[in-house]
Amino acid sequence: MPVEPLSQKEIEDRLAELPGWSLDGDRIARSYRLGSHFAATAMVVHIAQVQEELDHHSDCTLGYRTVSLTVNTHSVGGALTELDFRLAHRVEELAPGHGAH
């Protein structure tokens, strides 16, 4: 089944379900603060595992005690799709286990 870009209304509705996430140009984005660099690194590894499961990958940046993600769907010209929000929800589910906020 082909992936279709979401309308602006669909994007706004899905963002409303993801506190902390925002629209950043043609991407959705979120940064997390963690208690240590090791915790941030562990979260990045966990996110990479989820991305492999979904076969959908974000741009993920590891900082000293931060993890930042930006997500869009390259296969539809960088538009936002349901895949982006599915990944964001999965990241939201795993973040508390790493002490991220």
Side-chain angles (χ1 to χ4, degrees):
M1 184 159 112
V3 178
E4 296 292 326
L6 297 173
S7 70
Q8 189 62 36
K9 171 84 168 95
E10 290 170 319
I11 292 167
E12 291 168 5
D13 290 347
R14 283 165 178 75
L15 271 176
E17 300 169 359
L18 289 165
W21 287 81
S22 62
L23 193 57
D24 183 13
D26 64 349
R27 301 167 176 259
I28 55 172
R30 167 109 198 237
S31 292
Y32 297 90
R33 296 197 53 74
L34 293 99
S36 68
H37 181 68
F38 187 81
T41 302
M43 184 171 166
V44 168
V45 171
H46 199 168
I47 291 169
Q49 180 182 19
V50 169
Q51 290 178 60
E52 287 297 307
E53 289 172 15
L54 296 175
D55 192 25
H56 189 60
H57 303 84
S58 67
D59 290 329
C60 187
T61 304
L62 172 64
Y64 173 55
R65 290 185 177 180
T66 61
V67 174
S68 299
L69 290 97
T70 59
V71 187
N72 66 1
T73 303
H74 301 282
S75 64
V76 292
L80 289 166
T81 69
E82 189 61 41
L83 287 171
D84 303 310
F85 289 93
R86 191 175 311 150
L87 176 58
H89 277 284
R90 291 284 302 275
V91 172
E92 283 298 299
E93 290 170 0
L94 67 84
H98 294 278
H101 58 279

